[in-house]
Amino acid sequence: MFKNMKNDLDQAEVLELLTYAVLDRPEQGEKALRFYQTSDEWKLFGVEDEGLIVGVIGFEEREDGTIVLHHLAVLPENRHRGYGRGMLLTLIKERSPKRLTVETDAEGADFFRNVGFAVYGSEDLPGGGQFHCVYEIDEE
């Protein structure tokens, strides 16, 4: 299901998806793209549907078994079809982390809450809120 995007970072769809992941701020999407291009620690994987990249998930793996999510985005016309949840489940299956964490805004917090993450934070913070979301994986 996953496709390693390291060799496809020049595709327009990848930049478009990263831009969605940073609240439609093109300069931040370009900055994230450059970081994936130059970092060995940050990994970027995508999911395709009929040859089109419809979603990306960017993360780093820590020595303590934590995966820190940096970006998760699905093209607007492909949302609510299970791609986001599917990327998270594939990540858990393929990487076997102890936990997943992500910092996000209120809209992202709603998504992560709906897929089972514990959400900490407040909408009262500047900029509409910052949320820390954690998903602990049972070792069974």
Side-chain angles (χ1 to χ4, degrees):
M1 178 179 184
F2 269 161
K3 177 181 180 182
N4 187 338
M5 302 306 298
K6 280 288 189 180
N7 296 323
D8 298 306
L9 292 173
D10 58 342
Q11 291 188 27
E13 295 96 338
V14 175
L15 177 58
E16 179 183 0
L17 283 158
L18 287 174
T19 300
Y20 290 130
V22 292
L23 305 174
D24 295 326
R25 296 184 312 211
E27 70 283 354
Q28 292 299 319
E30 292 166 4
K31 182 178 176 182
L33 183 63
R34 284 192 303 276
F35 203 92
Y36 286 108
Q37 290 169 330
T38 60
S39 173
D40 290 332
E41 290 82 29
W42 282 29
K43 295 165 179 51
L44 186 67
F45 286 82
V47 62
E48 292 182 324
D49 187 358
E50 297 182 13
L52 176 69
I53 301 164
V54 297
V56 293
I57 186 166
F59 60 93
E60 69 178 296
E61 296 172 279
R62 302 257 169 96
E63 289 183 20
D64 68 354
T66 299
I67 288 182
V68 179
L69 298 175
H70 294 293
H71 300 96
L72 177 66
V74 175
L75 291 174
E77 60 270 21
N78 289 289
R79 292 180 185 161
H80 307 291
R81 294 185 182 175
Y83 289 113
R85 180 186 298 264
M87 286 187 287
L88 289 170
L89 291 173
T90 300
L91 183 65
I92 291 168
K93 181 179 178 185
E94 291 186 2
R95 302 294 176 146
S96 302
K98 291 182 180 177
R99 78 192 54 75
L100 300 174
T101 66
V102 63
E103 302 292 325
T104 190
D105 63 0
E107 182 180 356
D110 287 341
F111 167 78
F112 288 106
R113 185 180 294 112
N114 287 334
V115 296
F117 280 67
V119 177
Y120 308 96
S122 173
E123 292 182 0
D124 299 330
L125 298 172
Q130 184 67 22
F131 296 85
H132 179 70
C133 307
V134 179
Y135 186 82
E136 297 285 346
I137 288 89
D138 291 331
E139 293 186 31
E140 294 179 15

